[in-house]
Amino acid sequence: MAVDDVRSGFRRSWSDLASVGRNTAGGYDRFAWTRTDHDLREWFAGEASDLGLDLTTDRVGNQWAWWGDPYAAGAAPAVVTGSHLDSVPSGGAFDGPLGVVSSLLAVRSLRAAGHRPDRPMAVVNFVDEEGARFGVACAGSRILTGALSPERALALTDADGTTMADALAAAGRDPLALGSDPDLVGRIGAFVELHVEQGRALDDVHANVGVGSHIWPHGRWRIDVPGEANHAGTTALDDRRDAMLGFAAAVIAARRAAQSRGCVATVGKVRATPNGVNAIPSEVTGWLDARGESEAAVHQVVADVTEVMADFEATVQEESWTPTTAFDDALVRRLASRLGGIPVLGTGAGHDAGILAGAGVRAAMLFVRNPTGISHSPEEFAEEADCLAGVDALTRVLADLTAATP
């Protein structure tokens, strides 16, 4: 495809997605197994059909648009690209969708150029990558690879108390069909995920595209602080058992521990019961996100918080954990070489590529410059020229990987 054709294709796709799940604040609320998620999945299916790709859906609900049959006799291991379309609450436009749109455009460019892949390839749309609804990040790839059991996944609840099992049923899927697919995972010879950078490392070195080398260890923990409901106006301070005080202590403890251990920690989600302005909370639940270069340091942050929480009879329970994830070194070096020695960088953000890498899949990532460094926010941004450079880089990588041993 000519540059102008790629540009027009990018603009069309971006326009198609611009209004889906957009809220009044300008951000996006795209959560798993909702009407918005359905609309996004329909868009992906339509794009796959337009490209002449064969659409399949695995036991989790991840969508795969195939060019070639990975199950054909003698088929070589597949090359897969893609990302996700869901978002955090009031998230940005680029986190996830840029990778899906770029992957579809790369396939379109290869087809227009007459490329004939020597092995099957696919674009995948992973479901529930952000974990915004049920609290576990990369749920789609975790369940697919067996890192998250279907029993645990189905029991997860959203803020309204709806279980994942109920959400799947409401979306027309059979909860009992949920499960891993080792055969499908085993057919992936290489996975390359393009993503907007969620920091400013590329901008600092004046590069529009970089190769991801590894993902920091990171996890999420649920903190349940008990209390006793009572009247806010008539209960003396000394007589109160206020769960919110324990929660506040958790937030402060997380910040102090992260600073002392060289990590980052965030308590960005909280649920209070009964959640009344004039009622002392009987229970407060918060979710801690902790990350760092060292696994030991991250665990020490959680241990520090847990120690403080003991004074409030609170519990700290791990909901997800991903150790340091190094992408395939040979694949990383191959991508960097094929793209002219572009920067190689690590990231503190989790991705489906990391889950696949943890399951033994040869994986790597491409990052597109984010000049603001802002992500998980309506202010998330990437220049169109940089996005098109990302499409070009991914197209070149896929052409290389599908024409030789990946």
Side-chain angles (χ1 to χ4, degrees), residues 16-77:
D16 288 346
L17 295 172
S19 63
V20 183
R22 195 164 193 177
N23 60 34
T24 56
Y28 289 89
D29 297 325
R30 295 167 168 169
F31 308 142
W33 310 121
T34 61
R35 178 66 203 189
T36 296
D37 183 57
H38 169 81
D39 293 343
L40 293 167
R41 293 169 65 82
E42 286 294 296
W43 173 83
F44 183 84
E47 292 295 302
S49 176
D50 187 57
L51 282 169
L53 305 178
D54 296 322
L55 184 69
T56 63
T57 303
D58 61 30
R59 296 180 61 193
V60 187
N62 304 311
Q63 294 175 291
W64 303 75
W66 288 100
W67 184 0
D69 184 1
Y71 296 98

Side-chain angles (χ1 to χ4, degrees), residues 6 17-18 24 36 51 78 80 95 113 133 136 193 200 221 248-249 271 307 316 320 327 374 387-388 392 394:
V6 175
L17 295 172
T24 56
T36 296
L51 282 169
V80 180
D95 180 354
R133 184 173 182 187
V136 176
E193 180 176 4
R200 293 185 56 186
W221 290 262
R271 183 174 66 211
E307 182 178 357
V316 180
S320 68
F327 293 127
I374 296 173
C387 294
L388 297 181
D392 177 66
L394 182 61

Side-chain angles (χ1 to χ4, degrees), residues 149-169:
S149 72
E151 294 78 16
R152 184 184 169 204
L154 292 172
L156 295 171
T157 59
D158 64 14
D160 296 323
T162 301
T163 65
M164 184 182 285
D166 290 339
L168 286 166

Side-chain angles (χ1 to χ4, degrees), residues 105-160:
L105 281 173
V107 170
R108 191 176 295 276
S109 294
L110 291 173
R111 288 203 165 218
H115 179 73
R116 300 292 180 186
D118 291 334
R119 62 189 62 252
M121 64 178 298
V123 177
V124 60
N125 169 32
F126 283 110
V127 68
D128 202 13
E129 191 271 354
E130 296 291 3
R133 184 173 182 187
F134 297 104
V136 176
C138 298
S141 54
R142 287 182 190 275
I143 300 170
L144 174 69
T145 59
L148 176 62
S149 72
E151 294 78 16
R152 184 184 169 204
L154 292 172
L156 295 171
T157 59
D158 64 14
D160 296 323

